Amino acid sequence: MLGLMDIEWYKRKKELQPEQLDKTSEKRSIGQTSHGNSKMNKLRYATALAGIAAIALPSSVGYSSAEEYKIGAAMALTGALAPYDQPGLAGFKLGIKDLNAKGGIGGLATVTLEVIDTRSDTAATVNAAQKLIDDGVKFLITPGDADPSIAAGQIGQAAGIPMLNLAGSPSLTPAVGDYMFISYPSDTVQSAALASYASETGYKTAFLLKSPDSAYTSKFPDYFGETFKKKGGSVVGEASYSMGQPDFSAVVSQIKGLTPQPDVIMTTAYEPDFPAFIKQLRGAGVKIPVIESDAIGTPTVYGLGSVVDGVVQSSAGFPTPGSGMEAFNKRFKEETGHDAETSYEAAGYEWAQLLDAAARKAGSLEPAKIRDALASLEDVQTVLGKVTYAGTERVALRDVAMIRIEGGKPTFVKLYRPTKEEIPNP
């Protein structure tokens, strides 16, 4: 997903005022969020997390065990990463609640959870990870961003603690080591799926819009271009932008002046850059199709109106009729009183399912055995589909959903499952 430079830029532009690091188990409403979330969304997640918070206590569910398996979550409840970590945490808490109600992790122990707000800050993430490990956690959840996850992950690696997160950067696992796993569709997996969609749609030429300010906004489009070329397409132009720039007129003029026009524009820009770009692009009369990444899957982007109609984005899943995600969304609404608004809620719930599968395969909760079992999982059914780690570098091989925005709502296009040969090397 996003990178450290993204966060630092956001802090400078928005002058975030981080709260005091919460060093206790999270049993309160979450704080203010940023990155375009509305006040209603903040209140909804405050309610959701507070409503599910009691799952950290074994007495809150029907199952109890003499054994306890403590998980630590160093996640962003505030700051630039909150729109991703908040829903992920809400889903994870529900997953733990359901897991405990069915006998605990692997049928071996009741799961408890300690959460520390990292404030979307790398130094705070390091402190949080160390505090959680000192408190005796046996598994660690790190933020949905490679940079703080690498920093926290190196602490977890040294302590021999297995880890999961929402970050999608393929550089994460080699930078940390064999205790770090990526569950969310990685940048390389998503880019391969987007390239397959573009090729199948009949696009022959693509224009890439990139920012050098982060790996997510620079390397992801390159990964797409690499796979797109392998499928017979060609990249006919590129443009660069600085994160936070309000004026895209030069980029729009460059695109408008291309002869012939490219078949498609691919970018991984997100809020506030993507809204600014797409408004100015369509305002200039440029109707070239645009394909995007998972980071625009937010209520803010969906609420932009007709300018985003037809934009296609990648995602971890979609609640098609009869799917596991549809069932999860129903369960989530029953528990929290509001709809799951992104795929991150289901992605967080999935962590509990993957941990349970690993514990059952290992027959043990010893960290090294959980690590080995996770690494050998193959076609594990989750609420988002089947997940495989076997034969990968601890980066999940899984489906990627293509979603088209129409009338302010995401609509399902198709599921893609890139082969190992299609996925570019990071």
Side-chain angles (χ1 to χ4, degrees):
M1 290 178 59
L2 315 181
L4 176 61
M5 295 181 72
D6 310 38
I7 300 171
E8 295 304 320
W9 166 85
Y10 192 93
K11 288 180 180 177
R12 292 196 303 271
K13 293 293 183 181
K14 298 298 183 183
E15 297 181 343
L16 296 179
Q17 299 296 321
E19 299 173 355
Q20 181 69 26
L21 178 62
D22 182 356
K23 295 182 180 293
T24 62
S25 294
E26 188 270 329
K27 297 176 183 174
R28 57 177 173 79
S29 297
I30 53 179
Q32 295 294 306
T33 66
S34 54
H35 209 62
N37 275 16
S38 67
K39 184 179 292 185
M40 180 61 71
N41 292 332
K42 299 172 191 175
L43 294 174
R44 284 177 174 176
Y45 275 103
T47 302
L49 290 177
I52 307 176
I55 66 171
L57 303 175
S59 60
S60 69
V61 297
Y63 173 82
S64 63
S65 170
E67 295 294 328
E68 180 181 292
Y69 187 75
K70 187 173 184 178
I71 298 175
M75 299 181 72
L77 306 184
T78 54
L81 291 177
Y84 311 101
D85 280 5
Q86 281 183 7
L89 179 60
F92 187 42
K93 286 190 170 187
L94 181 55
I96 294 175
K97 181 174 184 178
D98 289 351
L99 191 61
N100 282 343
K102 295 176 181 177
I105 181 171
L108 300 171
T110 299
V111 177
T112 64
L113 180 65
E114 181 178 356
V115 181
I116 296 179
D117 181 9
T118 66
R119 311 188 321 265
S120 301
D121 178 80
T122 298
T125 304
V126 169
N127 292 337
Q130 187 63 63
K131 174 65 165 60
L132 291 168
I133 291 172
D134 290 344
D135 287 347
V137 302
K138 302 302 182 185
F139 200 94
L140 186 63
I141 304 294
T142 61
D145 170 66
D147 299 283
S149 282
I150 288 172
Q154 290 170 346
I155 296 173
Q157 178 74 25
I161 302 297
M163 295 163 280
L164 276 169
N165 54 70
L166 286 175
S169 172
S171 64
L172 177 57
T173 55
V176 172
D178 59 351
Y179 279 87
M180 177 62 80
F181 293 79
I182 294 175
S183 61
Y184 199 80
S186 70
D187 299 351
T188 50
V189 171
Q190 287 190 63
S191 65
L194 283 162
S196 293
Y197 165 78
S199 179
E200 288 183 10
T201 305
Y203 300 144
K204 301 297 183 183
T205 58
F207 183 92
L208 307 182
L209 176 61
K210 308 188 296 183
S211 171
D213 294 343
S214 77
Y216 183 79
T217 53
S218 61
K219 292 184 179 180
F220 193 141
D222 286 339
Y223 295 146
F224 165 85
E226 181 179 337
T227 305
F228 186 57
K229 291 174 184 177
K230 289 181 180 179
K231 292 180 174 294
S234 61
V235 175
V236 296
E238 295 183 2
S240 179
Y241 68 95
S242 297
M243 294 175 68
Q245 74 176 51
D247 184 5
F248 282 83
S249 59
V251 173
V252 171
S253 295
Q254 179 183 348
I255 295 172
K256 194 171 184 179
L258 292 174
T259 304
Q261 290 278 275
D263 294 332
V264 68
I265 298 169
M266 192 276 166
T267 183
T268 54
Y270 52 92
E271 300 172 30
D273 304 314
F274 179 73
F277 168 68
I278 195 69
K279 287 178 182 179
Q280 293 171 46
L281 183 75
R282 297 302 186 229
V286 179
K287 299 180 180 179
I288 301 170
V290 174
I291 55 177
E292 252 279 8
S293 59
D294 62 305
I296 67 163
T298 67
T300 299
V301 171
Y302 293 157
L304 289 175
S306 60
V307 294
V308 291
D309 280 351
V311 172
V312 172
Q313 63 159 116
S314 53
S315 177
F318 193 86
T320 53
S323 67
M325 189 173 177
E326 182 190 51
F328 164 78
N329 284 356
K330 180 180 179 181
R331 172 83 177 95
F332 186 85
K333 187 171 184 178
E334 289 172 351
E335 186 70 28
T336 67
H338 73 84
D339 293 324
E341 296 179 325
T342 72
S343 63
Y344 303 122
E345 292 93 341
Y349 189 94
E350 182 181 73
W351 292 333
Q353 296 180 303
L354 292 172
L355 275 171
D356 186 52
R360 292 184 184 279
K361 184 167 187 177
S364 168
L365 296 178
E366 293 180 22
K369 291 184 178 180
I370 291 292
R371 174 203 61 189
D372 293 344
L374 270 174
S376 65
L377 292 181
E378 190 167 2
D379 286 338
V380 174
Q381 186 66 51
T382 75
V383 293
L384 289 174
K386 293 183 177 180
V387 175
T388 291
Y389 283 111
T392 75
E393 293 299 318
R394 302 175 307 285
V395 177
L397 187 61
R398 59 182 308 147
D399 294 337
V400 177
M402 289 299 124
I403 295 172
R404 178 178 289 107
I405 305 173
E406 295 289 355
K409 296 181 179 180
T411 61
F412 180 68
V413 178
K414 185 178 179 180
L415 281 179
Y416 289 86
R417 191 179 185 88
T419 65
K420 293 178 183 179
E421 294 71 27
E422 289 177 315
I423 299 171
N425 293 321

